[in-house]
Amino acid sequence: MKANKKTILITGATDGLGLATAEALHAQGHEVLLHGRSAAKLATAQETVFGKAPGAAEKNTAAGYLADFSVLEEVQTLAQAVTRDHPVIDVLINNAGVFQVPETRTADNLDIRFAVNTVAPFLLTQLLMPNLAADARVVNLSSAAQSPVDLQALEGQRPIADAFTAYAQSKLALTMWTAHQAQQNGDQGRMLVAVNPGSLLATKMVKEGFGQAGNDIQIGADILVRAALSSEFEGASGKYFDNDKGAFSAPHTDVLNAEKCQAVVARIESVLQRAGVSD
């Protein structure tokens, strides 16, 4: 194992981009923690990442965590389990996300895109903050699809008509709270960056949502590995990396509006308080 081995938690790591990123990071010698919402898929992912040699599963039982991100209490339980097993986290990759789903409302009456793509990663990041290393990195999976956030829809007070709009709003909201948290942390805090890993990658989400195979998933895995580890992301806190352009890029104009970002964060915190899971 390498001397600078990192402990890295990847959400939504049982298939697609999350799994490909986990495989790449584990191959480099890092301690990779996998999150999934299906026990069967999580077990398969653990075999894929850690191998099928005798004793491999036993040695990596603390590297797999179950939680349904549409249920905020489960996000809270996940954070507790991770911090119990791993007192220091070096990298958090908030990759879990949903687009088209049969049921669009959660038990907390939120749009599931906002719940999973925006609120859950915000909550997980806040809960893990005391355990993040001083030089930790939080990599939030954004998207080229971004749309102005309806604050009432974010709180679950108004439905959103179609899946793409809900998804695009949830991804802009994620990018906005990333910028806000980075600004709150200042130069001395942990690095938070929003990354569009690449449009229409070959993930289940793209196949189900757009009916196409998609582009090489390794495009996205490569940039997430770089965001987690490489020197090019030093000093990148609060920035937006657009992998369609292969460079840091100007974010959506709403991300540059501190008042709008604060309003998004305030609504997320209101949702968490109502759910009884605020940090």
Side-chain angles (χ1 to χ4, degrees), residues 8-13 15-28 30 32 34 49 91 93 95 139 141 197 201 217-229:
I8 303 170
L9 172 61
I10 306 174
T11 69
D15 58 28
L17 183 54
L19 180 58
T21 304
E23 289 184 89
L25 289 167
H26 179 70
Q28 291 187 21
H30 299 288
V32 180
L34 311 178
V49 174
V91 182
I93 301 178
N95 166 72
V139 181
L141 269 288
L201 299 179
I217 205 165
Q218 201 59 46
I219 295 169
D222 288 346
I223 190 56
L224 294 187
V225 170
R226 285 161 53 194
L229 302 173

PDB file of all heavy atoms in Angstrom, residues 8-13 15-28 30 32 34 49 91 93 95 139 141 197 201 217-229:
ATOM      1  N   ILE A   8     -11.524   6.945   1.366  1.00  0.00           N
ATOM      2  CA  ILE A   8     -12.403   7.632   0.417  1.00  0.00           C
ATOM      3  C   ILE A   8     -13.784   6.997   0.434  1.00  0.00           C
ATOM      4  O   ILE A   8     -13.930   5.795   0.176  1.00  0.00           O
ATOM      5  CB  ILE A   8     -11.817   7.561  -1.014  1.00  0.00           C
ATOM      6  CG1 ILE A   8     -10.406   8.171  -1.037  1.00  0.00           C
ATOM      7  CG2 ILE A   8     -12.737   8.261  -2.007  1.00  0.00           C
ATOM      8  CD1 ILE A   8      -9.657   7.943  -2.338  1.00  0.00           C
ATOM      9  N   LEU A   9     -14.796   7.788   0.745  1.00  0.00           N
ATOM     10  CA  LEU A   9     -16.190   7.331   0.716  1.00  0.00           C
ATOM     11  C   LEU A   9     -16.839   7.780  -0.581  1.00  0.00           C
ATOM     12  O   LEU A   9     -16.812   8.971  -0.918  1.00  0.00           O
ATOM     13  CB  LEU A   9     -16.959   7.902   1.910  1.00  0.00           C
ATOM     14  CG  LEU A   9     -18.477   7.678   1.925  1.00  0.00           C
ATOM     15  CD1 LEU A   9     -18.821   6.193   1.936  1.00  0.00           C
ATOM     16  CD2 LEU A   9     -19.114   8.389   3.122  1.00  0.00           C
ATOM     17  N   ILE A  10     -17.416   6.823  -1.304  1.00  0.00           N
ATOM     18  CA  ILE A  10     -18.105   7.121  -2.566  1.00  0.00           C
ATOM     19  C   ILE A  10     -19.559   6.698  -2.423  1.00  0.00           C
ATOM     20  O   ILE A  10     -19.857   5.526  -2.176  1.00  0.00           O
ATOM     21  CB  ILE A  10     -17.473   6.358  -3.747  1.00  0.00           C
ATOM     22  CG1 ILE A  10     -15.972   6.623  -3.835  1.00  0.00           C
ATOM     23  CG2 ILE A  10     -18.159   6.753  -5.056  1.00  0.00           C
ATOM     24  CD1 ILE A  10     -15.268   5.788  -4.884  1.00  0.00           C
ATOM     25  N   THR A  11     -20.474   7.628  -2.572  1.00  0.00           N
ATOM     26  CA  THR A  11     -21.892   7.283  -2.522  1.00  0.00           C
ATOM     27  C   THR A  11     -22.357   6.851  -3.909  1.00  0.00           C
ATOM     28  O   THR A  11     -21.797   7.250  -4.930  1.00  0.00           O
ATOM     29  CB  THR A  11     -22.740   8.459  -2.016  1.00  0.00           C
ATOM     30  OG1 THR A  11     -22.752   9.513  -2.982  1.00  0.00           O
ATOM     31  CG2 THR A  11     -22.212   8.987  -0.680  1.00  0.00           C
ATOM     32  N   GLY A  12     -23.376   6.007  -3.931  1.00  0.00           N
ATOM     33  CA  GLY A  12     -23.864   5.495  -5.207  1.00  0.00           C
ATOM     34  C   GLY A  12     -22.794   4.708  -5.935  1.00  0.00           C
ATOM     35  O   GLY A  12     -22.593   4.887  -7.146  1.00  0.00           O
ATOM     36  N   ALA A  13     -22.115   3.809  -5.202  1.00  0.00           N
ATOM     37  CA  ALA A  13     -20.935   3.143  -5.753  1.00  0.00           C
ATOM     38  C   ALA A  13     -21.195   1.717  -6.210  1.00  0.00           C
ATOM     39  O   ALA A  13     -20.249   0.962  -6.427  1.00  0.00           O
ATOM     40  CB  ALA A  13     -19.818   3.152  -4.705  1.00  0.00           C
ATOM     41  N   ASP A  15     -22.820   0.707  -9.020  1.00  0.00           N
ATOM     42  CA  ASP A  15     -22.770   0.511 -10.470  1.00  0.00           C
ATOM     43  C   ASP A  15     -22.321   1.804 -11.129  1.00  0.00           C
ATOM     44  O   ASP A  15     -22.065   2.811 -10.468  1.00  0.00           O
ATOM     45  CB  ASP A  15     -24.120   0.038 -11.041  1.00  0.00           C
ATOM     46  CG  ASP A  15     -25.265   1.004 -10.735  1.00  0.00           C
ATOM     47  OD1 ASP A  15     -25.018   2.216 -10.588  1.00  0.00           O
ATOM     48  OD2 ASP A  15     -26.419   0.551 -10.638  1.00  0.00           O
ATOM     49  N   GLY A  16     -22.213   1.769 -12.437  1.00  0.00           N
ATOM     50  CA  GLY A  16     -21.936   2.957 -13.223  1.00  0.00           C
ATOM     51  C   GLY A  16     -20.696   3.717 -12.819  1.00  0.00           C
ATOM     52  O   GLY A  16     -19.639   3.141 -12.527  1.00  0.00           O
ATOM     53  N   LEU A  17     -20.822   5.035 -12.789  1.00  0.00           N
ATOM     54  CA  LEU A  17     -19.693   5.919 -12.537  1.00  0.00           C
ATOM     55  C   LEU A  17     -19.095   5.713 -11.147  1.00  0.00           C
ATOM     56  O   LEU A  17     -17.869   5.718 -10.981  1.00  0.00           O
ATOM     57  CB  LEU A  17     -20.150   7.367 -12.717  1.00  0.00           C
ATOM     58  CG  LEU A  17     -19.101   8.460 -12.559  1.00  0.00           C
ATOM     59  CD1 LEU A  17     -17.897   8.215 -13.464  1.00  0.00           C
ATOM     60  CD2 LEU A  17     -19.729   9.816 -12.857  1.00  0.00           C
ATOM     61  N   GLY A  18     -19.948   5.536 -10.146  1.00  0.00           N
ATOM     62  CA  GLY A  18     -19.452   5.336  -8.787  1.00  0.00           C
ATOM     63  C   GLY A  18     -18.608   4.082  -8.672  1.00  0.00           C
ATOM     64  O   GLY A  18     -17.536   4.086  -8.043  1.00  0.00           O
ATOM     65  N   LEU A  19     -19.066   2.993  -9.278  1.00  0.00           N
ATOM     66  CA  LEU A  19     -18.332   1.737  -9.224  1.00  0.00           C
ATOM     67  C   LEU A  19     -17.017   1.841  -9.989  1.00  0.00           C
ATOM     68  O   LEU A  19     -15.970   1.373  -9.514  1.00  0.00           O
ATOM     69  CB  LEU A  19     -19.190   0.603  -9.788  1.00  0.00           C
ATOM     70  CG  LEU A  19     -18.560  -0.798  -9.800  1.00  0.00           C
ATOM     71  CD1 LEU A  19     -18.158  -1.230  -8.387  1.00  0.00           C
ATOM     72  CD2 LEU A  19     -19.527  -1.803 -10.412  1.00  0.00           C
ATOM     73  N   ALA A  20     -17.040   2.446 -11.159  1.00  0.00           N
ATOM     74  CA  ALA A  20     -15.815   2.597 -11.954  1.00  0.00           C
ATOM     75  C   ALA A  20     -14.785   3.439 -11.203  1.00  0.00           C
ATOM     76  O   ALA A  20     -13.579   3.138 -11.224  1.00  0.00           O
ATOM     77  CB  ALA A  20     -16.141   3.230 -13.303  1.00  0.00           C
ATOM     78  N   THR A  21     -15.250   4.472 -10.514  1.00  0.00           N
ATOM     79  CA  THR A  21     -14.341   5.317  -9.734  1.00  0.00           C
ATOM     80  C   THR A  21     -13.782   4.550  -8.551  1.00  0.00           C
ATOM     81  O   THR A  21     -12.586   4.650  -8.228  1.00  0.00           O
ATOM     82  CB  THR A  21     -15.084   6.577  -9.253  1.00  0.00           C
ATOM     83  OG1 THR A  21     -15.635   7.270 -10.389  1.00  0.00           O
ATOM     84  CG2 THR A  21     -14.152   7.513  -8.508  1.00  0.00           C
ATOM     85  N   ALA A  22     -14.628   3.758  -7.890  1.00  0.00           N
ATOM     86  CA  ALA A  22     -14.169   2.959  -6.757  1.00  0.00           C
ATOM     87  C   ALA A  22     -13.095   1.963  -7.201  1.00  0.00           C
ATOM     88  O   ALA A  22     -12.072   1.781  -6.504  1.00  0.00           O
ATOM     89  CB  ALA A  22     -15.350   2.216  -6.139  1.00  0.00           C
ATOM     90  N   GLU A  23     -13.303   1.324  -8.332  1.00  0.00           N
ATOM     91  CA  GLU A  23     -12.310   0.368  -8.827  1.00  0.00           C
ATOM     92  C   GLU A  23     -10.975   1.055  -9.100  1.00  0.00           C
ATOM     93  O   GLU A  23      -9.906   0.537  -8.739  1.00  0.00           O
ATOM     94  CB  GLU A  23     -12.817  -0.291 -10.111  1.00  0.00           C
ATOM     95  CG  GLU A  23     -13.962  -1.267  -9.921  1.00  0.00           C
ATOM     96  CD  GLU A  23     -14.338  -1.948 -11.216  1.00  0.00           C
ATOM     97  OE1 GLU A  23     -13.743  -3.013 -11.511  1.00  0.00           O
ATOM     98  OE2 GLU A  23     -15.213  -1.435 -11.938  1.00  0.00           O
ATOM     99  N   ALA A  24     -11.032   2.229  -9.710  1.00  0.00           N
ATOM    100  CA  ALA A  24      -9.802   2.947 -10.043  1.00  0.00           C
ATOM    101  C   ALA A  24      -9.048   3.376  -8.789  1.00  0.00           C
ATOM    102  O   ALA A  24      -7.816   3.244  -8.706  1.00  0.00           O
ATOM    103  CB  ALA A  24     -10.132   4.163 -10.909  1.00  0.00           C
ATOM    104  N   LEU A  25      -9.771   3.864  -7.788  1.00  0.00           N
ATOM    105  CA  LEU A  25      -9.118   4.334  -6.562  1.00  0.00           C
ATOM    106  C   LEU A  25      -8.569   3.178  -5.743  1.00  0.00           C
ATOM    107  O   LEU A  25      -7.478   3.266  -5.164  1.00  0.00           O
ATOM    108  CB  LEU A  25     -10.106   5.167  -5.747  1.00  0.00           C
ATOM    109  CG  LEU A  25     -10.438   6.540  -6.342  1.00  0.00           C
ATOM    110  CD1 LEU A  25     -11.656   7.144  -5.647  1.00  0.00           C
ATOM    111  CD2 LEU A  25      -9.240   7.476  -6.228  1.00  0.00           C
ATOM    112  N   HIS A  26      -9.314   2.069  -5.694  1.00  0.00           N
ATOM    113  CA  HIS A  26      -8.818   0.897  -4.969  1.00  0.00           C
ATOM    114  C   HIS A  26      -7.571   0.346  -5.647  1.00  0.00           C
ATOM    115  O   HIS A  26      -6.620  -0.081  -4.965  1.00  0.00           O
ATOM    116  CB  HIS A  26      -9.906  -0.167  -4.903  1.00  0.00           C
ATOM    117  CG  HIS A  26      -9.473  -1.409  -4.192  1.00  0.00           C
ATOM    118  ND1 HIS A  26      -9.243  -1.453  -2.829  1.00  0.00           N
ATOM    119  CD2 HIS A  26      -9.208  -2.668  -4.658  1.00  0.00           C
ATOM    120  CE1 HIS A  26      -8.869  -2.674  -2.489  1.00  0.00           C
ATOM    121  NE2 HIS A  26      -8.839  -3.421  -3.567  1.00  0.00           N
ATOM    122  N   ALA A  27      -7.552   0.358  -6.963  1.00  0.00           N
ATOM    123  CA  ALA A  27      -6.394  -0.146  -7.701  1.00  0.00           C
ATOM    124  C   ALA A  27      -5.139   0.673  -7.406  1.00  0.00           C
ATOM    125  O   ALA A  27      -4.013   0.158  -7.505  1.00  0.00           O
ATOM    126  CB  ALA A  27      -6.680  -0.143  -9.199  1.00  0.00           C
ATOM    127  N   GLN A  28      -5.337   1.936  -7.024  1.00  0.00           N
ATOM    128  CA  GLN A  28      -4.200   2.792  -6.679  1.00  0.00           C
ATOM    129  C   GLN A  28      -3.751   2.606  -5.224  1.00  0.00           C
ATOM    130  O   GLN A  28      -2.803   3.245  -4.781  1.00  0.00           O
ATOM    131  CB  GLN A  28      -4.555   4.263  -6.919  1.00  0.00           C
ATOM    132  CG  GLN A  28      -4.703   4.629  -8.372  1.00  0.00           C
ATOM    133  CD  GLN A  28      -4.882   6.131  -8.579  1.00  0.00           C
ATOM    134  OE1 GLN A  28      -4.525   6.929  -7.728  1.00  0.00           O
ATOM    135  NE2 GLN A  28      -5.444   6.510  -9.719  1.00  0.00           N
ATOM    136  N   HIS A  30      -5.828   2.887  -2.372  1.00  0.00           N
ATOM    137  CA  HIS A  30      -6.567   3.660  -1.368  1.00  0.00           C
ATOM    138  C   HIS A  30      -7.638   2.798  -0.697  1.00  0.00           C
ATOM    139  O   HIS A  30      -8.098   1.791  -1.250  1.00  0.00           O
ATOM    140  CB  HIS A  30      -7.189   4.898  -2.020  1.00  0.00           C
ATOM    141  CG  HIS A  30      -6.170   5.810  -2.604  1.00  0.00           C
ATOM    142  ND1 HIS A  30      -5.339   6.587  -1.821  1.00  0.00           N
ATOM    143  CD2 HIS A  30      -5.816   6.066  -3.895  1.00  0.00           C
ATOM    144  CE1 HIS A  30      -4.518   7.271  -2.602  1.00  0.00           C
ATOM    145  NE2 HIS A  30      -4.785   6.976  -3.865  1.00  0.00           N
ATOM    146  N   VAL A  32     -11.177   2.322   0.060  1.00  0.00           N
ATOM    147  CA  VAL A  32     -12.407   2.803  -0.562  1.00  0.00           C
ATOM    148  C   VAL A  32     -13.616   2.270   0.200  1.00  0.00           C
ATOM    149  O   VAL A  32     -13.721   1.066   0.458  1.00  0.00           O
ATOM    150  CB  VAL A  32     -12.474   2.377  -2.044  1.00  0.00           C
ATOM    151  CG1 VAL A  32     -13.763   2.878  -2.686  1.00  0.00           C
ATOM    152  CG2 VAL A  32     -11.262   2.909  -2.805  1.00  0.00           C
ATOM    153  N   LEU A  34     -17.689   1.919   0.091  1.00  0.00           N
ATOM    154  CA  LEU A  34     -18.764   1.899  -0.899  1.00  0.00           C
ATOM    155  C   LEU A  34     -20.111   2.110  -0.230  1.00  0.00           C
ATOM    156  O   LEU A  34     -20.404   1.490   0.793  1.00  0.00           O
ATOM    157  CB  LEU A  34     -18.791   0.564  -1.640  1.00  0.00           C
ATOM    158  CG  LEU A  34     -17.473   0.039  -2.214  1.00  0.00           C
ATOM    159  CD1 LEU A  34     -17.696  -1.315  -2.864  1.00  0.00           C
ATOM    160  CD2 LEU A  34     -16.892   1.027  -3.202  1.00  0.00           C
ATOM    161  N   VAL A  49     -14.862  -4.756  -6.586  1.00  0.00           N
ATOM    162  CA  VAL A  49     -13.781  -3.845  -6.201  1.00  0.00           C
ATOM    163  C   VAL A  49     -12.683  -4.564  -5.429  1.00  0.00           C
ATOM    164  O   VAL A  49     -11.495  -4.384  -5.708  1.00  0.00           O
ATOM    165  CB  VAL A  49     -14.333  -2.669  -5.363  1.00  0.00           C
ATOM    166  CG1 VAL A  49     -13.190  -1.800  -4.835  1.00  0.00           C
ATOM    167  CG2 VAL A  49     -15.299  -1.834  -6.187  1.00  0.00           C
ATOM    168  N   VAL A  91     -11.496  11.825   1.669  1.00  0.00           N
ATOM    169  CA  VAL A  91     -12.227  12.257   0.481  1.00  0.00           C
ATOM    170  C   VAL A  91     -13.655  11.740   0.562  1.00  0.00           C
ATOM    171  O   VAL A  91     -13.881  10.566   0.879  1.00  0.00           O
ATOM    172  CB  VAL A  91     -11.572  11.737  -0.824  1.00  0.00           C
ATOM    173  CG1 VAL A  91     -12.351  12.248  -2.046  1.00  0.00           C
ATOM    174  CG2 VAL A  91     -10.113  12.152  -0.917  1.00  0.00           C
ATOM    175  N   ILE A  93     -16.876  11.560  -2.014  1.00  0.00           N
ATOM    176  CA  ILE A  93     -17.385  11.780  -3.377  1.00  0.00           C
ATOM    177  C   ILE A  93     -18.886  11.559  -3.345  1.00  0.00           C
ATOM    178  O   ILE A  93     -19.368  10.428  -3.229  1.00  0.00           O
ATOM    179  CB  ILE A  93     -16.708  10.835  -4.387  1.00  0.00           C
ATOM    180  CG1 ILE A  93     -15.182  11.043  -4.392  1.00  0.00           C
ATOM    181  CG2 ILE A  93     -17.271  11.064  -5.787  1.00  0.00           C
ATOM    182  CD1 ILE A  93     -14.435  10.114  -5.343  1.00  0.00           C
ATOM    183  N   ASN A  95     -21.660  11.056  -5.161  1.00  0.00           N
ATOM    184  CA  ASN A  95     -21.989  10.624  -6.519  1.00  0.00           C
ATOM    185  C   ASN A  95     -23.436  10.156  -6.677  1.00  0.00           C
ATOM    186  O   ASN A  95     -23.988  10.241  -7.771  1.00  0.00           O
ATOM    187  CB  ASN A  95     -21.039   9.489  -6.914  1.00  0.00           C
ATOM    188  CG  ASN A  95     -21.482   8.751  -8.148  1.00  0.00           C
ATOM    189  OD1 ASN A  95     -21.414   9.255  -9.270  1.00  0.00           O
ATOM    190  ND2 ASN A  95     -21.977   7.524  -7.960  1.00  0.00           N
ATOM    191  N   VAL A 139     -16.078  16.086  -3.198  1.00  0.00           N
ATOM    192  CA  VAL A 139     -16.322  16.191  -4.641  1.00  0.00           C
ATOM    193  C   VAL A 139     -17.805  15.938  -4.879  1.00  0.00           C
ATOM    194  O   VAL A 139     -18.303  14.833  -4.641  1.00  0.00           O
ATOM    195  CB  VAL A 139     -15.470  15.181  -5.426  1.00  0.00           C
ATOM    196  CG1 VAL A 139     -15.715  15.326  -6.928  1.00  0.00           C
ATOM    197  CG2 VAL A 139     -13.989  15.349  -5.089  1.00  0.00           C
ATOM    198  N   LEU A 141     -21.023  15.682  -7.378  1.00  0.00           N
ATOM    199  CA  LEU A 141     -21.346  15.403  -8.779  1.00  0.00           C
ATOM    200  C   LEU A 141     -22.430  16.329  -9.273  1.00  0.00           C
ATOM    201  O   LEU A 141     -23.605  16.182  -8.931  1.00  0.00           O
ATOM    202  CB  LEU A 141     -21.770  13.944  -8.940  1.00  0.00           C
ATOM    203  CG  LEU A 141     -20.674  12.942  -9.262  1.00  0.00           C
ATOM    204  CD1 LEU A 141     -20.170  13.077 -10.671  1.00  0.00           C
ATOM    205  CD2 LEU A 141     -19.528  13.076  -8.273  1.00  0.00           C
ATOM    206  N   PRO A 197     -19.077  15.453 -14.524  1.00  0.00           N
ATOM    207  CA  PRO A 197     -18.130  14.425 -14.956  1.00  0.00           C
ATOM    208  C   PRO A 197     -18.133  14.167 -16.455  1.00  0.00           C
ATOM    209  O   PRO A 197     -17.254  13.466 -16.968  1.00  0.00           O
ATOM    210  CB  PRO A 197     -18.596  13.182 -14.199  1.00  0.00           C
ATOM    211  CG  PRO A 197     -20.067  13.402 -14.017  1.00  0.00           C
ATOM    212  CD  PRO A 197     -20.229  14.877 -13.806  1.00  0.00           C
ATOM    213  N   LEU A 201     -22.835  10.023 -20.097  1.00  0.00           N
ATOM    214  CA  LEU A 201     -21.938   8.881 -19.916  1.00  0.00           C
ATOM    215  C   LEU A 201     -22.758   7.599 -19.874  1.00  0.00           C
ATOM    216  O   LEU A 201     -23.968   7.626 -19.652  1.00  0.00           O
ATOM    217  CB  LEU A 201     -21.131   9.047 -18.630  1.00  0.00           C
ATOM    218  CG  LEU A 201     -20.233  10.290 -18.566  1.00  0.00           C
ATOM    219  CD1 LEU A 201     -19.514  10.350 -17.220  1.00  0.00           C
ATOM    220  CD2 LEU A 201     -19.224  10.303 -19.708  1.00  0.00           C
ATOM    221  N   ILE A 217     -17.693   5.493 -19.860  1.00  0.00           N
ATOM    222  CA  ILE A 217     -17.833   5.873 -18.457  1.00  0.00           C
ATOM    223  C   ILE A 217     -16.491   6.218 -17.813  1.00  0.00           C
ATOM    224  O   ILE A 217     -16.429   6.946 -16.822  1.00  0.00           O
ATOM    225  CB  ILE A 217     -18.546   4.751 -17.681  1.00  0.00           C
ATOM    226  CG1 ILE A 217     -19.229   5.330 -16.441  1.00  0.00           C
ATOM    227  CG2 ILE A 217     -17.583   3.625 -17.326  1.00  0.00           C
ATOM    228  CD1 ILE A 217     -20.236   4.402 -15.833  1.00  0.00           C
ATOM    229  N   GLN A 218     -15.414   5.726 -18.407  1.00  0.00           N
ATOM    230  CA  GLN A 218     -14.091   6.008 -17.846  1.00  0.00           C
ATOM    231  C   GLN A 218     -13.753   7.490 -17.923  1.00  0.00           C
ATOM    232  O   GLN A 218     -12.925   7.984 -17.149  1.00  0.00           O
ATOM    233  CB  GLN A 218     -13.028   5.181 -18.582  1.00  0.00           C
ATOM    234  CG  GLN A 218     -11.744   4.996 -17.782  1.00  0.00           C
ATOM    235  CD  GLN A 218     -11.982   4.307 -16.450  1.00  0.00           C
ATOM    236  OE1 GLN A 218     -12.694   3.305 -16.383  1.00  0.00           O
ATOM    237  NE2 GLN A 218     -11.391   4.834 -15.383  1.00  0.00           N
ATOM    238  N   ILE A 219     -14.401   8.217 -18.844  1.00  0.00           N
ATOM    239  CA  ILE A 219     -14.208   9.669 -18.927  1.00  0.00           C
ATOM    240  C   ILE A 219     -14.565  10.313 -17.587  1.00  0.00           C
ATOM    241  O   ILE A 219     -13.840  11.175 -17.076  1.00  0.00           O
ATOM    242  CB  ILE A 219     -15.082  10.262 -20.053  1.00  0.00           C
ATOM    243  CG1 ILE A 219     -14.628   9.755 -21.415  1.00  0.00           C
ATOM    244  CG2 ILE A 219     -15.070  11.789 -20.016  1.00  0.00           C
ATOM    245  CD1 ILE A 219     -15.597  10.080 -22.540  1.00  0.00           C
ATOM    246  N   GLY A 220     -15.687   9.880 -17.027  1.00  0.00           N
ATOM    247  CA  GLY A 220     -16.125  10.424 -15.753  1.00  0.00           C
ATOM    248  C   GLY A 220     -15.302   9.919 -14.591  1.00  0.00           C
ATOM    249  O   GLY A 220     -14.969  10.680 -13.672  1.00  0.00           O
ATOM    250  N   ALA A 221     -14.967   8.624 -14.596  1.00  0.00           N
ATOM    251  CA  ALA A 221     -14.171   8.069 -13.500  1.00  0.00           C
ATOM    252  C   ALA A 221     -12.809   8.745 -13.416  1.00  0.00           C
ATOM    253  O   ALA A 221     -12.319   9.054 -12.321  1.00  0.00           O
ATOM    254  CB  ALA A 221     -14.006   6.560 -13.691  1.00  0.00           C
ATOM    255  N   ASP A 222     -12.212   9.019 -14.558  1.00  0.00           N
ATOM    256  CA  ASP A 222     -10.883   9.644 -14.574  1.00  0.00           C
ATOM    257  C   ASP A 222     -10.910  11.027 -13.927  1.00  0.00           C
ATOM    258  O   ASP A 222     -10.019  11.366 -13.136  1.00  0.00           O
ATOM    259  CB  ASP A 222     -10.362   9.759 -16.008  1.00  0.00           C
ATOM    260  CG  ASP A 222      -9.954   8.420 -16.604  1.00  0.00           C
ATOM    261  OD1 ASP A 222      -9.828   7.449 -15.833  1.00  0.00           O
ATOM    262  OD2 ASP A 222      -9.777   8.347 -17.828  1.00  0.00           O
ATOM    263  N   ILE A 223     -11.927  11.821 -14.220  1.00  0.00           N
ATOM    264  CA  ILE A 223     -11.954  13.169 -13.645  1.00  0.00           C
ATOM    265  C   ILE A 223     -12.279  13.126 -12.163  1.00  0.00           C
ATOM    266  O   ILE A 223     -11.790  13.949 -11.386  1.00  0.00           O
ATOM    267  CB  ILE A 223     -12.935  14.098 -14.407  1.00  0.00           C
ATOM    268  CG1 ILE A 223     -12.738  15.553 -13.939  1.00  0.00           C
ATOM    269  CG2 ILE A 223     -14.376  13.690 -14.220  1.00  0.00           C
ATOM    270  CD1 ILE A 223     -11.329  16.075 -14.088  1.00  0.00           C
ATOM    271  N   LEU A 224     -13.064  12.148 -11.725  1.00  0.00           N
ATOM    272  CA  LEU A 224     -13.349  12.046 -10.298  1.00  0.00           C
ATOM    273  C   LEU A 224     -12.107  11.621  -9.517  1.00  0.00           C
ATOM    274  O   LEU A 224     -11.869  12.113  -8.406  1.00  0.00           O
ATOM    275  CB  LEU A 224     -14.495  11.072 -10.048  1.00  0.00           C
ATOM    276  CG  LEU A 224     -15.860  11.506 -10.594  1.00  0.00           C
ATOM    277  CD1 LEU A 224     -16.943  10.538 -10.139  1.00  0.00           C
ATOM    278  CD2 LEU A 224     -16.203  12.928 -10.162  1.00  0.00           C
ATOM    279  N   VAL A 225     -11.302  10.746 -10.084  1.00  0.00           N
ATOM    280  CA  VAL A 225     -10.036  10.370  -9.450  1.00  0.00           C
ATOM    281  C   VAL A 225      -9.133  11.597  -9.357  1.00  0.00           C
ATOM    282  O   VAL A 225      -8.496  11.841  -8.317  1.00  0.00           O
ATOM    283  CB  VAL A 225      -9.348   9.234 -10.227  1.00  0.00           C
ATOM    284  CG1 VAL A 225      -7.925   9.001  -9.719  1.00  0.00           C
ATOM    285  CG2 VAL A 225     -10.167   7.955 -10.110  1.00  0.00           C
ATOM    286  N   ARG A 226      -9.063  12.367 -10.409  1.00  0.00           N
ATOM    287  CA  ARG A 226      -8.239  13.581 -10.388  1.00  0.00           C
ATOM    288  C   ARG A 226      -8.758  14.578  -9.363  1.00  0.00           C
ATOM    289  O   ARG A 226      -7.977  15.181  -8.615  1.00  0.00           O
ATOM    290  CB  ARG A 226      -8.208  14.211 -11.779  1.00  0.00           C
ATOM    291  CG  ARG A 226      -7.323  13.470 -12.761  1.00  0.00           C
ATOM    292  CD  ARG A 226      -7.651  13.808 -14.200  1.00  0.00           C
ATOM    293  NE  ARG A 226      -7.652  15.246 -14.468  1.00  0.00           N
ATOM    294  CZ  ARG A 226      -8.169  15.794 -15.569  1.00  0.00           C
ATOM    295  NH1 ARG A 226      -8.750  15.022 -16.493  1.00  0.00           N
ATOM    296  NH2 ARG A 226      -8.122  17.098 -15.740  1.00  0.00           N
ATOM    297  N   ALA A 227     -10.062  14.754  -9.308  1.00  0.00           N
ATOM    298  CA  ALA A 227     -10.631  15.695  -8.340  1.00  0.00           C
ATOM    299  C   ALA A 227     -10.344  15.254  -6.906  1.00  0.00           C
ATOM    300  O   ALA A 227     -10.119  16.075  -6.021  1.00  0.00           O
ATOM    301  CB  ALA A 227     -12.134  15.833  -8.555  1.00  0.00           C
ATOM    302  N   ALA A 228     -10.336  13.941  -6.691  1.00  0.00           N
ATOM    303  CA  ALA A 228     -10.096  13.405  -5.354  1.00  0.00           C
ATOM    304  C   ALA A 228      -8.647  13.518  -4.926  1.00  0.00           C
ATOM    305  O   ALA A 228      -8.364  13.716  -3.734  1.00  0.00           O
ATOM    306  CB  ALA A 228     -10.533  11.941  -5.306  1.00  0.00           C
ATOM    307  N   LEU A 229      -7.708  13.427  -5.888  1.00  0.00           N
ATOM    308  CA  LEU A 229      -6.308  13.245  -5.514  1.00  0.00           C
ATOM    309  C   LEU A 229      -5.313  14.217  -6.130  1.00  0.00           C
ATOM    310  O   LEU A 229      -4.268  14.488  -5.519  1.00  0.00           O
ATOM    311  CB  LEU A 229      -5.875  11.819  -5.906  1.00  0.00           C
ATOM    312  CG  LEU A 229      -6.665  10.657  -5.304  1.00  0.00           C
ATOM    313  CD1 LEU A 229      -6.213   9.346  -5.942  1.00  0.00           C
ATOM    314  CD2 LEU A 229      -6.500  10.609  -3.795  1.00  0.00           C
TER     315      LEU A 229
END
